[in-house]
Amino acid sequence: MRNPAAIIRNTANNKNPCQLRHQIPLCTSSTAPLPQNLAVDPDPPDLPSQIFSILSTHPRNWQKHPSILKLIPFISPSHISSLYSLNLSPQTALDFSYWISQKPGFKHTVESYSALLNLLISSNFTKAGEKIFLFMIKSCNSVEDIRFTLDFLKRANETDGEFRLMLSIKTYNTLLMSLSKFVLIDEMKRVYAEMLQNMIVPNIYTLNTMINAYCKMGNVVEAQLYASKIVQAGLNPDTFTYTSLILGHCRNKDVDSGYGIFRMMPRKGCRRNEVSYTNLIHGLCEAKRVDEAIELLRRMGEDDCRPTVRTYTVIIYGLCGLGRKLEALQFFNEMSERGCEPNVHTYTVLIDCLCKENKVDEARRLLNRMFKKGLVPSIVTYNALIDGYCKEGLMEAAFEILDLMESNNCSPNARTYNELICGFCENKNVHKAMSLLNELLERKLSPTLITYNSLIHGQCRAGHLDSAHRLLHLMNGSGLVPDQFTYSIFIDTLCKSGRVEEAHVLFDSLKEKGVKAGEVIYTALIDGYCKAGKIDNAHSLLERMLSDDCLPNSYTYNALIDGLCQEKKVQEALLLLEKMVKMGVKPTIYTYTILIEEVLKEGDFDHADRLLNQMVSAGLKPDVYTYTAFIQAYCSIGKLNEAEDLMVKMNEEGIVPDSVTYTLLIRAYANLGLIYSAFDVLKRMFDAGCEPSHHTYAFLIKHLSNKRWMKENSHVMGFYLVSNVTFVDVADVWKMMEFDTAVKLFETMLKHGCAPNVNTYGKLIIGLCKVGRLAVAQRLFDYMRERGISPNEDIYNSLLKCCCELRLYDEAVRLVDAMIEHSHLPHLESYKLLLCGLYDEGKNEKAKVVFCNLLHCGYNGDEVAWKILIEGLLKKGHADRCSELVDIMEKKGCQINPPTYSMLIEGLDGRQVTAYLLKFHFLLFYF
């Protein structure tokens, strides 16, 4: 795994040399003639004055003057703006403007055009001025540019000067089209009003531009008002008019009205073109009427039209949205066969579709195909692939795409980082996600609500509720307002931690915070009460939910049904299922699976079969969890043939068994003494690419142990015979397992064609470390390395944590060094234990070295402060050491947010000197 710190790019100091030159004051008095062989400064301190001197001294042949030719690479639009303020003649300014615009690499900006226009208007070059203003409009690349242009026009015509910039209908139409491009409707209305005020009569292009702008927004009512002006002016609506109205109706979710205009066009003498068809096809696809859209595409030839790239792309997008990927691929191939080459957007739609279907390898092949075709992927293309890899947990592959996009000069945006952050959080690597927050800020990108919600969710999943609360403070400090999802994370985490009453207090406070509790928040709290066995409280919340006009969804009912089943109230759960259907809420596969699992626990296979049939009749197909419930039940009563038959059926239906499914069979065979069959299932598990869990290996290790071990420890082995799909506790296995038993496991695995991999060693080492059996864990660690298997980050971290808990700090330091050398990130929890332990033993200098190495790993500065300084050193009473480490962080440029500084100061309460120093640091940073 690549170290996230390695991807941080420092762009803050990469200033453009031209930008630096702009800051130097201009000397307007330098007009002395330049010698023919002028030695040009490679970074001219007063370049506009030098250009002015050349133009003034050589008015006829300045274009060929060697001095000005040498200056070309250094000339920027801002230099041109300054040049035009140096009393240059209007004609020379015009000539120079055209000449420089033809040079490679130079492009005028709205600012340089405005400087030229100021000179032209003041000299009554109004005809040329209008032409330059037209160029100015066409150079607008952003909302800021077009607004600057509008402001310039307003200022130019509001001055008391003798001359004004009068625009023709052509220039006004170009301005309106540019405003329409950026959907600046209010500005368009003002320009249109100005035209009328200046006695400029709108033509068909003017009115069509206004119609199209409103239609882009779905505002057909306003668009039709302008359409009526066409008729009032004695003009005829044309193809563009009707095509825009089709777009407007489709954007307004009124496809049938759009279809009506489409049918009417021939009767009005207007030819339907490719855009008319594509607008309507897009509307049909948006309305999920893809088959009608396809039929319309097939009829384009009737109007002598051919589908364009956009037409095909819209169809492909519509098919992908309905999960009809194979048909989408057929259209993709068809368009190429018909000579209509897919563009970047077409490829992006398919790549996104494949990634959503977890087919990232196919998506990557499409990306490679784009490169071969000479197409340049957009940031949307790259983001789709990054998101796909992140959802699959393939973070290294996601970072490879990040490297690829940067090597192709495509800079990541906030969404790119959000996807990576979410990926790390889903893979329980929140410390890496936090380090990406550093890079996001380093790139001057703004974290979004999604950024913080993902990080808060990651911290909560890792059990770091305090860190999640601190992120909430940072979110508020950045001006973002927590939403329903933010608070649902906290409520759900509190409930899962058994702190349901605290969750209810937070729930009751939401109204004061201006947050309306939606179904997600209600469901989280209802589920918390159900898990706590407080079904009555859960039912009361359901009633409150209904009274708040918040409709329960399937998740809400599933939580209640599961709670009732846990209380063995199956009949009440079945009645709730009926009520759920009457309320118009469709049961899900999970709804039926909960009930099936419960009746199977009671041994009622007939009832389970009836529920299964009811589920299928409702149009729901059983999934891996449904089948696993039946397999568990069969295994618990020794009916392994029936369990195996279900495995075959799962395979026939394309349902992939998971780790729990295989482990149930392994346990059942092992309990019957059929060790060979148990390892045969393990082989099938390996072949299917399903990673065995801690429980899988625990059951195999137990049954490989000798009879004496089993006899001596029979009091702890009873739990293996209990039919419990969750396999709650395997700690006793790790407490008893010796190194020789592990070797025997590896040998038996090899005999059955299952070569032990890093996951195998990891599960054993992590299990041993959890119960403090470091010596055996280290032997396994050495054993795997001897066999050429590189330990992963989880293995290193488990050994590190175990060393710290056993107070073996020197060994822990060696492990940290080894991890960093292999680009692995030690967990901050272990760093906290290590640093506190070193300070406890008086090894202050070694602690500082460890801390400095930590800062080079790219951790988020706030998280370091929270977990190392506040939760570690301050709680352990090392306040002075805490202050020293804050100094080190600041010297190394590790930024800490003001709220974190405040927390540090509060933690040092009573230690006035240290607190004063920290406060001083805080004020320096803040101001």
Side-chain angles (χ1 to χ4, degrees), residues 682-693:
L682 183 69
K683 175 67 166 62
R684 284 151 56 188
M685 196 174 184
F686 265 68
D687 291 344
C690 180
E691 290 286 1
S693 67

Side-chain angles (χ1 to χ4, degrees), residues 491 501-513 517 521 525 529 541 544:
I491 288 170
E501 297 309 323
E502 287 181 58
H504 205 142
V505 171
L506 177 57
F507 173 82
D508 289 335
S509 73
L510 293 182
K511 192 172 183 180
E512 297 172 11
K513 300 177 190 296
I521 292 176
L525 193 54
Y529 275 119
L541 261 179
R544 180 174 167 182

Side-chain angles (χ1 to χ4, degrees), residues 577-595:
L577 173 62
E578 292 178 13
K579 184 179 178 180
M580 175 182 181
V581 175
K582 287 178 182 176
M583 290 287 291
V585 181
K586 291 183 179 180
T588 64
I589 298 169
Y590 183 58
T591 315
Y592 286 104
T593 301
I594 294 167
L595 292 162

Side-chain angles (χ1 to χ4, degrees), residues 377-390:
S378 68
I379 192 163
V380 180
T381 321
Y382 289 116
N383 282 349
L385 260 172
I386 287 172
D387 185 48
Y389 280 123
C390 287

